[in-house]
């Protein structure tokens, strides 16, 4: 349908008297340049009307539609609210039952704070803690040991390198003990032993002399039985001064995070420093967010706006491409948020995860909404006259004129969400987090250390990009390659932000008249199924292990679910207003205020109900069965001792030189006499050889077959190191043997 808008042309048509109106209309159309997108044009008389429905009938139909939509959305809101509250209740009950029936390291620890920096002797602190319990009438509560928080913020990289070398040497020793001794393995072990001797000298200097390491004031008191913690905390609540060290009262509190979730290198950060770092990180993220949106604006100016100036709309593939770009941008933004979150200095991983989730949700929401607003602007520009003459959104729906604009808006939102926001984000996490780093690191490693095909300055520059690259260009050993190709950890904060944001965007489209609403709802259901299948694949096959030992992140996510849920309630109120059932005599400002107040009230109601069902401060759940520390450590392998990197190095390189006996548990695994450092994914290092057979339920492996398999792998490594390449046919034969063991790998 094409309408001639020029006033002079209309006067020529309707006021002329020399010729007929049809002839004048043809002459004017002949002199009018119509956009190609509108050809062929159809001229419809404004007096044309439907023979069966009058304008009043059309108004009644629209109001009935608005009323039915309001009722449907209200029912949907009530149902989702009820189901969501049931979910919150079941999650709380499950967590409570799991805590009561399962033993973990948090059941054996009490955190004591306020120690002087010089309190770094584990043996003395263990004796002091036992005497303090004896004085207050809790002599039956035996102390297993203490784990001291050391202030090593100035040598974090050194400590990480030392613990990695120690774990890598253990792996190579296990290969050697399994019958895989060869020249390459011997060379690697000799190289690591030389580095370990250097580490031994340096670590001993950390605990002797004036430059010895200081403590942060935090000491984890580890008990022999899980029932002792409740007795100690009950006594502490009644008498705050049961723990006095050098005439100073120590603060006691329960520990909710497992040992691998403690950021031991950040314990020296005070709360004021953490708050300052939070503000700096927010400014950094905000700057990065502004830079990204400048690029998004340039994209719209270069691609979308030319379509508008040509009289068309940037829809279809252009909008889909914009959605894909937004998915990639949101993924990159999430990476910057992760770097900022882990640089703040939090003491526990769960607090860092919460901050990461909240910031990632806010930034992703603002970034996506900015792009959606640009798309909506393009639609309004294309329908400039209609948008200016159409009634206000919250006026009674008595005319069909805004229906076309709203339908166009909803359809463009649909194109942006499908597949970009819904499906590109997860795929981007796999591609950018798994495939691209693997290919990039493999290519750089070959260019620098195998082919050596570029000038030395260029190789030095490329080495900066290669993760875990050594200092020189001569050797890129197995340990560095393993670190460089390590998969990223499971990122629940990113997954959660999309699970909250995507329903919110779909519910926003319910404000509009559109045939795309049912399609968005259908794809939202498919997205839930896709996420369940995809993240099981991603988390279990592509990403490395990560600890989430508390429910703090889940609890915050449940609170923020009120944001998309309350959108349905405000939608119902908006459609009731458009149906003329409420606020028919109120001004537009009051109507908008009612919609916003409904949304705010819905959020408040949700938060209050969640807090009533699942309060922020959980009550202490007493264990139903008693368990010893030694038994619990055999089940979980990690402990408060072997997760502490400084204490592990102390046991490894310093305790053995002491003349007197070390009356304190070592940082060990399954064998209490062997020093081990716990690293997620390296649990096999902690199992004692005497227990491997019982773990596997029979013979661990066929030694002859395993030596054959290991020999093939060893020959591949020798070819790579000596010739810089591998015969493809030889590699194919060896890979067949390696893949045969992939289904049932030998544990050594």
């Amino acid at each position: 349908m094409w309408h001639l808008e020029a006033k002079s042309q209309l006067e020529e048509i309707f006021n002329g008297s020399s010729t007929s109106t049809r002839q004048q209309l043809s002459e004017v159309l002949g002199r009018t340049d119509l956009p190609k997108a509108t050809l062929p044009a159809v001229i419809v008389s404004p007096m044309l009307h439907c023979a069966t429905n009058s304008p009043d009938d059309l108004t009644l139909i629209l109001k009935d539609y608005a009323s039915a939509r309001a009722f449907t959305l209200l029912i949907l809101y009530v149902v989702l609210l009820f189901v969501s509250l049931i979910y919150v209740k079941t999650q709380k009950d499950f967590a409570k039952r799991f805590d009561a029936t399962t033993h973990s390291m948090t059941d054996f620890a009490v955190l004591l704070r306020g120690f002087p920096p010089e309190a770094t002797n584990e043996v003395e602190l263990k004796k002091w803690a036992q005497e303090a319990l004896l004085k207050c009438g809790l002599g039956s509560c035996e102390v297993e040991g203490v784990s001291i928080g050391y202030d090593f913020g100035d040598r974090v990289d050194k400590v990480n390198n030392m613990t990695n070398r120690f774990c890598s040497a253990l792996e190579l020793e296990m290969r050697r003990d399994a019958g895989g001794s060869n020249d390459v393995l011997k060379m690697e072990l000799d190289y690591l032993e030389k580095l370990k001797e250097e580490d031994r000298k340096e670590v001993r200097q950390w605990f002797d002399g004036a430059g010895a390491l200081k403590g942060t004031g935090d000491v984890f008191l580890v008990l022999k039985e899980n029932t002792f913690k409740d007795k100690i905390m009950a006594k502490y609540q009644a008498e705050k001064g049961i723990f006095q060290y050098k005439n100073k009262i120590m603060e006691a509190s329960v520990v909710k995070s497992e040992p691998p979730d403690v950021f031991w290198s950040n314990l020296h950060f005070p709360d004021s420093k953490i708050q300052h770092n939070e503000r700096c990180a927010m400014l950094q993220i905000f700057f990065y967010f502004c830079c990204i949106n400048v690029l998004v604006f340039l994209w719209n100016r270069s691609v979308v706006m030319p379509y508008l100036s040509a009289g068309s709309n940037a829809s279809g593939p252009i909008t889909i491409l914009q959605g894909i770009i937004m998915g990639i941008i949101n993924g990159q933004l999430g990476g910057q948020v992760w770097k900022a979150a882990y640089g703040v200095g939090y003491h526990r991983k769960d607090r860092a995860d919460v901050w990461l989730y909240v910031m990632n949700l806010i930034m992703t929401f603002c970034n996506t909404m900015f792009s959606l607003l640009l798309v909506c602007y393009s639609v309004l520009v294309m329908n400039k006259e209609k948008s200016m003459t159409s009634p206000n959104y919250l006026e009674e729906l008595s005319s069909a004129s805004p229906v076309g604009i709203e339908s166009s808006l909803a359809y463009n939102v649909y194109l942006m969400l499908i597949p970009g926001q819904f499906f590109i984000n997860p795929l981007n996490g796999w591609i950018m987090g798994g495939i691209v780093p693997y290919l990039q690191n493999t290519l750089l490693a070959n260019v620098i250390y195998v082919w050596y095909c570029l000038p030395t300055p260029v190789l030095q520059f490329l080495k900066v990009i290669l993760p875990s690259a050594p200092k020189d260009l001569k050797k890129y050993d197995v340990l560095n390659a393993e670190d460089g190709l390590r998969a990223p950890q499971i990122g629940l904060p990113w997954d959660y932000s999309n699970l909250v944001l995507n329903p919110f965007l779909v519910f926003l489209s319910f404000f509009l008249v559109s045939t795309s609403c049912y399609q968005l709802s259908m794809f939202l259901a498919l997205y839930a199924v896709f996420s369940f299948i995809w993240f099981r694949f991603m988390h279990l096959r592509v990403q490395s292990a990560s600890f989430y030992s508390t429910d703090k992140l889940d609890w915050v996510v449940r609170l923020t679910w009120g944001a998309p849920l309350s959108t349905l309630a405000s939608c119902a109120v908006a459609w009731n207003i458009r149906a003329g059932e409420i606020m028919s005599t109120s001004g537009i400002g009051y109507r908008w205020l009612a919609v916003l107040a409904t949304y705010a009230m819905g959020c408040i109601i949700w938060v209050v109900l969640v807090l009533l069902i699942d309060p922020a401060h959980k009550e202490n759940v007493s264990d139903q069965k008693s368990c010893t520390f030694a038994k619990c450590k055999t089940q979980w392998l990690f402990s408060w001792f072997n997760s502490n990197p400084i204490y592990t190095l102390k046991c490894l390189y310093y305790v053995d030189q002491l003349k007197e006996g070390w009356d304190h548990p070592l940082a060990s695994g399954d064998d209490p006499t062997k020093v081990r450092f716990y690293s997620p994914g390296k649990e096999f290092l902690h199992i004692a050889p005497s227990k491997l057979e019982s773990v596997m339920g029979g013979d661990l492996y066929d030694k002859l077959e395993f030596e054959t398999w290991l020999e093939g792998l060893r020959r591949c490594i020798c070819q790579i190191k000596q010739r810089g390449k591998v015969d493809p046919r030889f590699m194919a034969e060896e890979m067949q043997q390696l893949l045969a063991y992939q289904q049932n790998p030998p544990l050594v």
Side-chain angles (χ1 to χ4, degrees):
M1 182 183 299
W2 177 258
H3 297 278
L4 294 174
E5 298 179 355
K7 185 177 179 180
S8 60
Q9 296 174 352
L10 294 178
E11 290 177 352
E12 290 182 25
I13 294 174
F14 296 106
N15 296 332
S17 58
S18 59
T19 57
S20 64
T21 303
R22 178 175 297 183
Q23 183 178 355
Q24 293 184 27
L25 180 60
S26 300
E27 293 176 358
V28 172
L29 288 177
R31 300 195 305 268
T32 304
D33 293 330
L34 301 179
K36 294 182 179 180
T38 64
L39 296 176
V42 179
I43 310 300
V44 180
S45 170
M47 300 300 295
L48 183 65
H49 65 275
C50 182
T52 57
N53 291 324
S54 65
D56 293 337
D57 295 332
L58 179 60
T59 299
L60 182 61
I61 293 174
L62 291 174
K63 288 187 176 181
D64 291 340
Y65 168 80
S67 179
R69 195 173 179 86
F71 178 76
T72 303
L73 291 174
L74 180 61
I75 295 298
L76 180 61
Y77 168 73
V78 174
V79 172
L80 283 181
L81 177 63
F82 181 72
V83 173
S84 300
L85 291 176
I86 293 177
Y87 173 78
V88 173
K89 182 67 166 59
T90 55
Q91 289 293 301
K92 177 194 175 183
D93 294 341
F94 173 80
K96 190 174 181 180
R97 290 195 305 271
F98 184 84
D99 193 7
T101 58
T102 306
H103 306 115
S104 64
M105 283 297 160
T106 59
D107 300 327
F108 298 87
V110 174
L111 176 60
L112 304 179
R113 308 193 69 179
F115 287 89
E118 295 77 17
T120 57
N121 190 308
E122 284 81 3
V123 176
E124 292 182 0
L125 289 179
K126 176 185 176 181
K127 293 180 180 178
W128 164 83
Q130 192 64 67
E131 293 175 358
L133 294 176
L134 182 63
K135 291 180 182 178
C136 68
L138 297 176
S140 60
C141 298
E142 298 183 58
V143 177
E144 179 74 19
V146 295
S147 185
I148 301 173
Y150 287 92
D151 184 0
F152 64 102
D154 57 339
R155 61 197 80 183
V156 174
D157 292 337
K158 288 185 178 180
V159 172
N160 291 337
N161 292 334
M162 289 179 181
T163 53
N164 289 337
R165 280 194 288 268
F166 172 54
C167 293
S168 299
L170 289 176
E171 290 187 80
L172 295 179
E173 290 173 2
M174 295 178 73
R175 294 183 189 179
R176 179 195 60 192
D177 297 339
S181 180
N182 58 73
D183 294 338
V184 176
L185 184 61
K186 184 177 182 301
M187 181 179 62
E188 293 289 345
L189 278 174
D190 293 341
Y191 175 68
L192 286 177
E193 287 299 326
K194 180 180 178 181
L195 295 179
K196 286 173 62 178
E197 284 301 320
E198 297 176 359
D199 294 342
R200 184 187 302 274
K201 296 178 182 178
E202 185 171 3
V203 169
R204 288 183 176 181
Q205 296 176 358
W206 293 355
F207 300 100
D208 288 328
L213 280 174
K214 304 296 182 181
T216 62
D218 293 355
V219 173
F220 294 90
L221 179 62
V222 185
L223 307 169
K224 285 185 177 293
E225 289 189 14
N226 58 332
T227 57
F228 297 160
K229 183 190 71 172
D230 295 334
K231 296 179 181 179
I232 292 175
M233 292 308 302
K235 185 68 175 180
Y236 177 76
Q237 296 297 331
E239 184 181 350
K240 297 292 184 181
I242 61 174
F243 294 107
Q244 292 190 22
Y245 184 80
K246 295 183 178 180
N247 299 323
K248 183 180 179 182
I249 297 177
M250 303 292 106
E251 299 179 2
S253 62
V254 297
V255 183
K256 298 181 179 180
S257 297
E258 298 295 337
D261 273 356
V262 177
F263 290 156
W264 299 90
S265 59
N266 293 341
L267 294 179
H268 66 285
F269 280 100
D271 293 338
S272 59
K273 180 64 174 178
I274 293 176
Q275 294 174 1
H276 172 74
N277 292 342
E278 281 181 334
R279 291 190 291 268
C280 294
M282 289 180 183
L283 292 176
Q284 179 183 356
I285 295 173
F286 178 75
F287 173 77
Y288 190 78
F289 169 76
C290 293
C291 294
I292 284 181
N293 281 281
V294 168
L295 298 178
V296 173
F297 174 77
L298 293 176
W299 157 266
N300 281 270
R301 182 180 179 181
S302 303
V303 178
V304 178
M305 297 305 174
Y307 277 86
L308 301 179
S309 61
S312 183
N313 192 7
S315 59
I318 297 298
T319 307
I320 295 175
L321 180 59
Q322 186 166 354
I324 294 174
I325 292 174
M326 283 311 307
I328 297 175
I329 288 177
N330 288 337
Q332 296 298 319
L333 183 61
Q336 294 298 320
V337 175
W338 182 87
K339 292 180 182 179
Y342 281 82
V344 168
Y346 291 119
H347 296 177
R348 304 290 187 272
K349 183 177 181 295
D350 55 0
R351 187 176 173 187
D353 290 330
V354 169
W355 191 88
L356 198 158
Y357 162 73
V358 173
M359 293 302 300
N360 190 53
L361 178 62
I362 293 174
M363 292 294 103
T364 306
F365 171 78
C366 294
N367 203 20
T368 304
M369 290 303 298
F370 179 75
S371 294
L372 287 177
L373 289 176
L374 289 177
V375 171
C376 294
Y377 173 75
S378 65
V379 174
L380 295 177
V381 169
M382 278 299 301
N383 300 271
K384 185 176 181 181
E385 182 184 2
K386 290 183 180 180
S387 60
M388 294 180 63
T389 59
S390 296
N392 190 281
Y393 173 78
L394 289 181
E395 291 183 4
E396 293 185 15
L397 193 60
S398 58
S399 173
S401 59
V403 172
I405 299 177
E406 293 184 20
S407 180
S408 299
L409 289 174
Y411 182 67
N412 279 273
V413 172
Y414 165 78
L415 290 178
M416 279 203 63
L417 297 182
I418 311 297
Q421 184 70 20
F422 274 18
F423 303 106
I424 294 301
N425 269 348
L427 294 174
N428 177 60
W430 176 47
I431 295 173
M432 302 302 295
I435 296 180
V436 172
Y438 175 80
L439 296 177
Q440 173 183 305
N441 297 343
T442 303
L443 177 62
L444 290 176
N446 280 278
V447 170
I448 299 174
Y449 294 99
V450 179
W451 303 330
Y452 206 84
C453 56
L454 296 174
T456 301
V458 178
L459 295 178
Q460 289 286 358
F461 174 77
L462 294 177
K463 189 173 68 68
V464 177
I465 307 175
L466 182 64
S468 302
K471 295 181 180 180
D472 53 36
L473 298 173
K474 298 180 180 179
K475 181 180 180 182
Y476 189 52
D477 54 39
V478 177
L479 305 180
N480 294 94
E482 181 182 3
D483 291 337
L485 296 176
R486 183 173 298 174
Q489 293 185 351
I490 296 175
L492 291 184
W494 293 276
D495 301 339
Y496 274 142
S497 62
N498 288 326
L499 293 177
V500 173
L501 178 63
N502 290 340
F504 182 79
L505 296 175
V506 172
F507 295 162
L508 278 180
S509 68
F510 292 169
F511 280 98
L512 306 173
V513 180
S514 173
T515 58
S516 301
C517 291
Y518 81 93
Q519 293 176 317
L520 278 174
S521 301
M522 178 187 67
F523 277 107
L524 183 61
L526 292 177
Y527 168 74
V529 178
F530 169 80
S531 298
F532 176 78
I533 299 174
W534 175 253
F535 288 131
R536 282 180 65 89
F537 169 78
M538 282 286 295
H539 292 168
L540 301 179
R541 298 292 185 272
V542 181
Q543 296 176 325
S544 60
S546 180
F547 272 84
Y548 296 90
S549 60
T550 71
D551 65 340
K552 184 177 292 186
L553 177 61
D554 293 337
W555 184 79
V556 174
V557 172
R558 290 194 288 268
L559 282 182
T560 54
W561 172 246
L565 186 61
S566 301
T567 307
L568 294 174
S570 58
C571 275
V573 173
W575 281 106
N576 265 316
I577 295 175
R578 301 188 77 180
E581 296 180 355
I582 59 175
M583 305 185 71
S584 58
T585 60
S586 302
I588 295 299
Y590 290 103
R591 296 182 184 185
W592 280 109
L593 183 61
V595 173
L596 296 177
T598 303
Y599 180 79
M601 185 59 64
C603 293
I604 293 174
I605 291 174
W606 171 255
V607 171
V608 170
L609 292 176
V610 171
L611 292 178
L612 290 176
I613 297 175
D614 190 11
H617 299 284
K618 308 292 191 304
E619 66 275 9
N620 184 34
V621 179
S622 300
D623 292 329
Q624 296 179 357
K625 297 180 181 180
S626 61
C627 180
T628 62
F629 175 84
K631 182 179 180 180
C632 183
K633 195 179 74 166
T634 59
Q635 297 173 349
W636 294 101
L637 295 179
F638 59 77
S639 70
W640 294 103
F641 307 123
N642 61 22
S643 296
N644 188 336
I646 294 297
Y647 184 65
T648 301
L649 295 175
K650 187 175 185 178
C651 294
L652 184 64
Y653 297 134
Y654 179 76
V655 172
D656 58 347
Q657 74 169 0
L658 299 179
K659 296 180 181 180
E660 63 227 25
W662 184 257
D663 186 18
H664 193 275
L666 295 177
S668 62
D670 205 18
D671 188 348
T673 63
K674 302 294 184 181
V675 178
R676 294 291 185 270
F677 175 71
Y678 183 81
S679 178
K682 305 287 186 179
E683 286 81 2
F684 57 89
L685 299 178
H686 294 255
I687 302 178
S690 59
K691 295 185 178 181
L692 283 175
E693 184 174 346
S694 62
V695 171
M696 298 298 295
D699 293 337
L700 181 58
Y701 57 84
D702 188 317
K703 187 174 181 180
L704 180 60
E705 284 188 323
F706 178 72
E707 288 181 351
T708 303
W709 169 79
L710 193 62
E711 180 63 27
L713 178 62
R714 188 164 54 248
R715 282 184 288 168
C716 291
I717 296 175
C718 290
Q719 281 199 12
I720 294 174
K721 287 184 173 294
Q722 295 175 4
R723 296 189 300 173
K725 61 180 181 179
V726 178
D727 185 0
R729 291 174 299 175
F730 173 79
M731 177 63 79
E733 295 175 357
E734 300 301 331
M735 286 303 298
Q736 289 179 357
Q737 299 182 20
L738 299 179
L739 292 174
Y741 277 88
Q742 186 176 4
Q743 301 298 327
N744 187 19
L747 181 62
V748 294

